[in-house]
């Protein structure tokens, strides 16, 4: 028996087919818009039949993933903006050139994901991450740290502050896309 009810997709596979982020897919599941199975190990799996049903439903709204880029190098910000323009799902992008500006924009923009440079003058990425994760109104923001000096020690430190991962600059479009679309 090979019905589409017996085939399950990972969150990344299902999100890719629907051209949305895994965060949007999780939100749909939490709202009951798409059926999801939770494995004994606590992993989400989506029946292929449900994904196909959602694909056929052209009326569903796709919420844009809100991404904040925080880096003190304007060239890096523009490069990341260019990389993000290739993503297969809708995005809203905000930028900040330092930790102070990120703090000012954080509450009004309410990013889903923050791409955060570690080494910035003034308030560095470690302090920004700690503040974001310690505030209940922003703690759900996914933080992807980035650094030209992504040493094992720096990566361990930023992950201990609440970042999901730490990627080394320069990185490819694919590495950035994989980091953003990875299931947290």
């Amino acid at each position: 028996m090979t019905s589409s009810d017996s085939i399950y997709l990972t969150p990344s596979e299902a999100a890719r087919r629907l051209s949305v982020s895994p965060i949007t897919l999780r939100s749909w599941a939490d709202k009951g818009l798409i059926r999801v199975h939770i494995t004994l190990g606590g992993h989400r799996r989506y029946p292929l039949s449900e994904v196909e049903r959602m694909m056929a439903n052209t009326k569903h709204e796709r919420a844009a993933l809100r991404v904040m880029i925080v880096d003190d190098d304007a060239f890096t910000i523009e490069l990341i903006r260019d990389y993000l323009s290739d993503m297969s799902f809708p995005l809203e992008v905000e930028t900040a050139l330092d930790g102070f500006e990120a703090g000012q924009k954080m509450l009004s923009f309410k990013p889903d994901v923050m791409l955060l440079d570690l080494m910035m003058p003034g308030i560095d990425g470690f302090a920004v991450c700690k503040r974001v994760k310690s505030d209940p109104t922003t703690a759900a923001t996914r933080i992807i740290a980035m650094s030209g000096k992504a040493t094992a020690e720096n990566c361990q430190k930023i992950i201990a502050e609440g970042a999901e991962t730490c990627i080394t600059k320069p990185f490819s479009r694919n590495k950035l896309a994989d980091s953003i679309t990875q299931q947290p």
Side-chain angles (χ1 to χ4, degrees), residues 50-92:
E50 282 290 292
V51 173
E52 289 172 341
R53 181 185 63 78
M54 290 296 285
M55 289 170 66
N57 179 4
T58 58
K59 294 180 183 174
H60 69 274
E61 241 181 75
R62 293 193 178 149
L65 183 69
R66 299 169 69 82
V67 179
M68 180 180 281
I69 307 166
V70 184
D71 198 301
D72 61 329
D73 180 32
F75 176 78
T76 300
I77 287 176
E78 287 311 307
L79 181 66
I80 293 170
R81 270 185 179 276
D82 181 53
Y83 284 4
L84 292 174
S85 70
D86 287 343
M87 299 296 266
S88 63
F89 48 86
L91 294 170
E92 288 181 44

Side-chain angles (χ1 to χ4, degrees), residues 18-35:
L18 291 165
S19 296
V20 298
S21 73
I23 292 172
T24 299
L25 185 63
R26 178 182 282 226
S27 173
W28 289 348
D30 291 345
K31 293 175 183 173
L33 299 174
I34 186 169
R35 194 167 35 108

Side-chain angles (χ1 to χ4, degrees), residues 96-152:
L97 286 167
D98 58 38
F100 181 75
E101 185 180 8
Q104 287 180 314
K105 292 181 174 181
M106 188 74 190
L107 292 177
S108 61
F109 183 67
K110 298 179 179 146
D112 300 304
V113 178
M114 178 182 279
L115 302 173
L116 178 63
D117 184 28
L118 293 182
M119 305 300 172
M120 296 181 292
I123 303 172
D124 65 18
F126 300 100
V128 172
C129 184
K130 185 174 186 172
R131 287 180 186 168
V132 168
K133 290 300 185 175
S134 66
D135 184 337
T137 61
T138 59
T141 302
R142 296 175 53 219
I143 296 179
I144 298 169
M146 23 181 223
S147 179
K149 298 176 182 176
T151 64

